[in-house]
Amino acid sequence: MPPNALEIEDRALGDAGVILPRVALGCGNFGGVGSSPAFFGQGLSEDEAFALMDAAWELGLHHFDTADAYGGGRSETAIGKWIAARGVRPTLTTKTYNPMDEGADFGLAPERIERQLTSSLERLGVDRVDLYLAHEFDPGVPLDESMDAFEAQLGAGRIRAYGVSNFDASQLDAALRVGRPLAVQNSYSLMHSEDEVELLPLCHARGVAYLAFSPLAGGWLTGKYRSGETFPAGSRMSQRPEPYEGFNNERTFRVLDRLTEIAAARRVSMAGLALAWLLADERVTQIVIGPGRPEHLEPAREALATELTPAEHERLGELFS
């Protein structure tokens, strides 16, 4: 292990034999901005993605999270090329649901799940992925048919475990009735904690791993957005602001100012403190960070070195309640 590598706690994913580190590298900005066709070909270039993966691997982040539609396949392709070039094998999460191009098909029909997994394996250059997720709930396909399709891929040895993403509590409960999803990956942060009410308790009760994406709320918890100032070029608020528009108000900026003060008193960045808040919650199995540059990995280092007491964790959560 490199001398500067982080000590990252591992968690077992049910009985699948898959080990998930509590921090994963999110690769949604490789060759695009998430699954939006309007941004395919943008985001990080292949060289930039390689530099980020190199830095993450050196730091001890050995789990990469992607999706077939990230960058219209460019994210998986970049990861596959990096694996081949570096001769190492991170554990991998990928997902399917979204279209691979404007107007292309989407969803969780069994034949599409099989087809998309085949293409993901080809782009990644591997014979199986460790965790395969339904990227959205599909109201147009009976859930038992989709879960059976995931089970078939599990039985074929092409995936080691499966789960869901962007599912609410009722949808996850329904999936658990007809399948064996071992994980759910949803947006969760100090600023977006709706899953606290129903989904996290359900995961805890049913032994489902909870994976948090967008742990810095699209950059809002980094301090990059300032009241009355133009959003920085290349930021989520300048590219895909829709998921975060509700944060753009004076109350948010007042609370963020207070969070900045608390972080300064702890000698940690706002982003580092926000990630530490997530890691202090034992119900959160993994956080998926999506840095744009190698230096953006620093908050993960800070978070892993920052311990919060239960009282401190509760007070931080109350700031945004």
Side-chain angles (χ1 to χ4, degrees):
M1 180 176 291
N4 64 335
L6 301 174
E7 291 188 12
I8 302 176
E9 178 189 357
D10 290 328
R11 296 280 183 87
L13 182 60
D15 59 359
V18 177
I19 301 299
L20 295 182
R22 295 204 72 200
V23 184
L25 178 69
C27 305
N29 54 359
F30 293 3
V33 182
S35 301
S36 174
F39 294 98
F40 288 174
Q42 301 182 37
L44 300 188
S45 68
E46 193 170 283
D47 286 346
E48 290 168 331
F50 266 53
L52 185 56
M53 287 185 279
D54 284 341
W57 190 265
E58 182 77 12
L59 201 58
L61 272 64
H62 295 166
H63 187 111
F64 293 0
D65 180 283
T66 185
D68 55 7
Y70 286 166
R74 292 172 179 84
S75 176
E76 289 180 333
T77 297
I79 295 169
K81 289 182 177 180
W82 182 86
I83 289 173
R86 301 297 185 259
V88 296
R89 172 61 158 87
T91 52
L92 296 168
T93 295
T94 194
K95 322 173 191 74
T96 193
Y97 174 86
N98 293 301
M100 298 296 292
D101 208 344
E102 195 73 57
D105 72 335
F106 61 93
L108 299 178
E111 62 275 10
R112 186 178 188 278
I113 289 173
E114 181 175 7
R115 185 190 77 215
Q116 289 303 117
L117 178 57
T118 297
S119 64
S120 287
L121 294 175
E122 290 173 352
R123 284 188 291 270
L124 290 165
V126 298
D127 57 7
R128 67 176 178 174
V129 293
D130 302 285
L131 180 59
Y132 196 43
L133 302 181
H135 210 167
E136 299 278 351
F137 180 80
D138 188 347
V141 177
L143 194 54
D144 61 333
E145 293 183 12
S146 298
M147 293 297 104
D148 285 349
F150 283 105
E151 284 286 341
Q153 300 308 312
L154 185 66
R158 303 211 304 165
I159 62 176
R160 299 177 67 195
Y162 67 90
V164 299
S165 180
N166 297 304
F167 274 44
D168 63 25
S170 64
Q171 292 164 345
L172 176 61
D173 183 64
L176 287 165
R177 294 177 188 273
V178 295
R180 296 181 297 164
L182 293 182
V184 58
Q185 187 187 100
N186 280 6
S187 174
Y188 191 66
S189 68
L190 271 169
M191 295 183 69
H192 188 254
S193 57
E194 285 84 350
D195 283 351
E196 172 75 27
V197 179
E198 294 183 338
L199 190 59
L200 272 168
L202 176 62
C203 289
H204 181 69
R206 300 295 298 275
V208 176
Y210 185 89
L211 321 176
F213 72 81
S214 197
L216 297 177
W220 279 92
L221 289 166
T222 67
K224 70 169 65 175
Y225 306 134
R226 302 288 183 178
S227 178
E229 295 183 8
T230 302
F231 296 124
S235 68
R236 282 300 175 98
M237 290 304 294
S238 68
Q239 292 179 318
R240 290 185 63 196
E242 294 81 10
Y244 313 103
E245 285 286 10
F247 299 151
N248 191 12
N249 58 69
E250 285 306 312
R251 179 187 179 279
T252 294
F253 287 112
R254 288 196 300 271
V255 174
L256 289 176
D257 285 343
R258 176 59 183 143
L259 184 63
T260 300
E261 294 171 358
I262 296 170
R266 294 291 301 259
R267 292 187 171 87
V268 65
S269 68
M270 182 197 297
L273 186 61
L275 296 180
W277 181 81
L278 287 169
L279 292 175
D281 190 336
E282 286 298 311
R283 300 170 301 174
V284 176
T285 302
Q286 183 183 77
I287 62 173
V288 181
I289 61 172
R293 298 192 296 272
E295 57 266 32
H296 293 167
L297 292 163
E298 182 59 27
R301 181 190 294 278
E302 293 179 311
L304 289 162
T306 301
E307 293 187 11
L308 298 179
T309 66
E312 289 172 327
H313 184 269
E314 183 178 0
R315 284 196 295 271
L316 285 174
E318 289 174 347
L319 275 178
F320 293 89
S321 62

